[in-house]
Amino acid sequence: MDELSCSRNASLNWERPHAGLIAGDRHVERRPEMNLASIDLNLLVALEALLECRNVTHAGHYVGKSQPAMSRALAMLRGIFNDDLLVRASRGFVLTSHGERVAQMLPSVLNTIRKMVSLPTRGRRSKATVAMPDHQTLVLLPRLMQRAPQLEIVSQSLFKGTLQALEEGDIDLAVGQIAAAPLGYLRRSLYTDHFVCLLRHDHPALARERTMESFLALRHAAISSNSGSQVGPIHDELPELGSPDRNPMRFSNVLTAAMVAATSDLALVVPRRAAMRFSAMLPLTAIDLPMETKPYEIVLIWHERWHRDLEHKWLRGEIAAALTAGAGRHKHEGRQQNDGPAAYLSNLA
């Protein structure tokens, strides 16, 4: 039946108090605060249809419920609001005075909820903070600026609290070396490079036969920045070469070391990609090392809390595209478990 029952639901979510407040000539009942956990908020959608249609059957069609289901919903709503909400009149059903007040508030409440659950996320970021070795900025930033010219980029060096900063959102991403990402962090292998040696264009060693002995006899630059074991899991390890009896010259960053090498007999060992950037700006020549060194793998690291954020996903993709341009390798992202090596997950970024 379409008839709206005017009988008060006997089982209410609260009891009527025996005492009340007198406001002018009205008796205002003191009502306890409703516990939202005891309410099925789907009933608000049914209430919206009932207040709009003022007919149980029509309201049921509107929300996809049967007439009996809508009648039960109305009975529960009457109990929740402690009011009939809709009553029969000479021309159908009308709202009670309390129903009128509810009808004025309900659309904005439901619209706010709808906007909240369907909150759009922009696909592009306007600003990004990335922690990375200084020489990686030469490799990444020019290409990233070409791909995303409107992106404001804040570059920071790797530091001891990099992982915590990723978790707290103080930085968005870290670029560096990490053997295995801790639980809660993810990593994406960007590329693997090898080391070369930079010498000034007219360095005497370029005219001599290159042997292990002659190479080790050179005075080498060593980078003593916030990298290495001091920063924790994320680091940027550059090989420290040279004979034991010849102390290297130490620098706080690779850029300064490259500028000194360009005007001295100092030898600087860096990844090939960075070496190509240095030699394009400074009078430096890159030569192969006379010994084998372990591959230099660069990875992208972020915290899991940002993994499904569309803006962050776009940013990861742009950085990966900028750093892997021309690499021609299939890249993966991985989630590190505590009891084993990183289990790479494909096609997540």
Side-chain angles (χ1 to χ4, degrees):
M1 295 178 60
D2 287 352
E3 182 177 356
L4 295 172
S5 172
C6 295
S7 62
R8 193 64 57 91
N9 191 328
S11 177
L12 302 180
N13 287 341
W14 55 74
E15 296 181 356
R16 287 182 180 275
H18 297 291
L21 300 175
I22 302 298
D25 58 350
R26 294 175 298 165
H27 183 79
V28 182
E29 294 181 351
R30 188 192 303 274
R31 299 172 63 187
E33 183 177 344
M34 174 62 70
N35 181 10
L36 289 179
S38 66
I39 300 174
D40 181 1
L41 296 183
N42 286 319
L43 289 171
L44 295 181
V45 178
L47 177 59
E48 180 185 42
L50 287 165
L51 296 178
E52 177 68 24
C53 301
R54 304 189 187 189
N55 180 287
V56 174
T57 301
H58 294 167
H61 290 162
Y62 185 78
V63 296
K65 290 181 178 291
S66 65
Q67 186 272 336
M70 285 301 292
S71 295
R72 290 192 296 271
L74 177 59
M76 287 186 284
L77 285 164
R78 283 172 167 168
I80 291 171
F81 286 96
N82 198 27
D83 188 84
D84 290 326
L85 299 176
L86 295 102
V87 296
R88 185 177 292 279
S90 59
R91 295 184 179 180
F93 296 96
V94 296
L95 303 182
T96 65
S97 59
H98 191 67
E100 291 282 1
R101 292 194 295 270
V102 172
Q104 291 176 1
M105 298 176 63
L106 187 61
S108 63
V109 171
L110 290 179
N111 287 338
T112 299
I113 295 175
R114 289 182 178 113
K115 289 179 181 178
M116 179 179 67
V117 298
S118 60
L119 186 66
T121 303
R122 294 175 301 173
R124 293 174 179 264
R125 279 202 171 199
S126 59
K127 181 178 180 180
T129 302
V130 184
M132 70 181 84
D134 60 336
H135 59 92
Q136 285 296 334
T137 62
L138 288 177
V139 177
L140 170 63
L141 295 191
R143 295 175 180 174
L144 187 58
M145 290 172 64
Q146 290 179 352
R147 293 187 59 87
Q150 304 303 318
L151 178 65
E152 179 184 351
I153 306 166
V154 179
S155 175
Q156 295 185 2
S157 299
L158 295 176
F159 55 98
K160 185 175 182 179
T162 298
L163 283 177
Q164 183 177 353
L166 285 170
E167 179 180 344
E168 295 176 354
D170 294 332
I171 59 176
D172 298 302
L173 291 160
V175 176
Q177 295 175 283
I178 187 168
L183 187 66
Y185 295 83
L186 295 102
R187 69 193 293 270
R188 172 175 181 158
S189 180
L190 295 173
Y191 67 89
T192 300
D193 208 345
H194 65 274
F195 291 101
V196 297
C197 180
L198 284 173
L199 300 172
R200 62 181 171 89
H201 280 338
D202 53 351
H203 197 290
L206 295 175
R208 297 195 295 263
E209 182 182 2
R210 297 170 195 170
T211 63
M212 178 71 73
E213 291 74 18
S214 64
F215 179 77
L216 293 179
L218 297 172
R219 189 172 189 186
H220 291 265
I223 310 303
S224 300
S225 62
N226 289 332
S227 60
S229 59
Q230 289 82 9
V231 305
I234 303 177
H235 59 92
D236 180 54
E237 185 178 359
L238 302 181
E240 188 169 312
L241 304 175
S243 58
D245 59 344
R246 190 158 192 177
N247 294 329
M249 182 175 289
R250 298 191 174 276
F251 296 87
S252 61
N253 61 74
V254 184
L255 296 177
T256 303
M259 296 183 69
V260 174
T263 57
S264 69
D265 288 342
L266 199 67
L268 174 63
V269 175
V270 293
R272 183 191 58 83
R273 287 195 177 195
M276 295 303 101
R277 289 288 181 178
F278 286 133
S279 60
M281 297 184 298
L282 298 168
L284 292 167
T285 299
I287 61 173
D288 291 330
L289 301 182
M291 78 285 286
E292 289 188 5
T293 57
K294 64 181 181 179
Y296 178 79
E297 183 190 25
I298 282 295
V299 299
L300 194 61
I301 306 140
W302 65 97
H303 192 268
E304 189 174 16
R305 64 181 295 193
W306 307 108
H307 183 60
R308 298 193 182 278
D309 181 88
L310 293 183
E311 292 184 4
H312 199 277
K313 187 174 183 179
W314 170 82
L315 177 61
R316 298 196 306 264
E318 291 300 307
I319 289 178
L323 282 176
T324 59
R329 297 181 57 199
H330 181 66
K331 299 298 183 287
H332 303 278
E333 289 179 357
R335 187 186 308 269
Q336 171 67 23
Q337 307 297 330
N338 280 339
D339 56 354
Y344 289 114
L345 305 177
S346 300
N347 303 320
L348 290 180

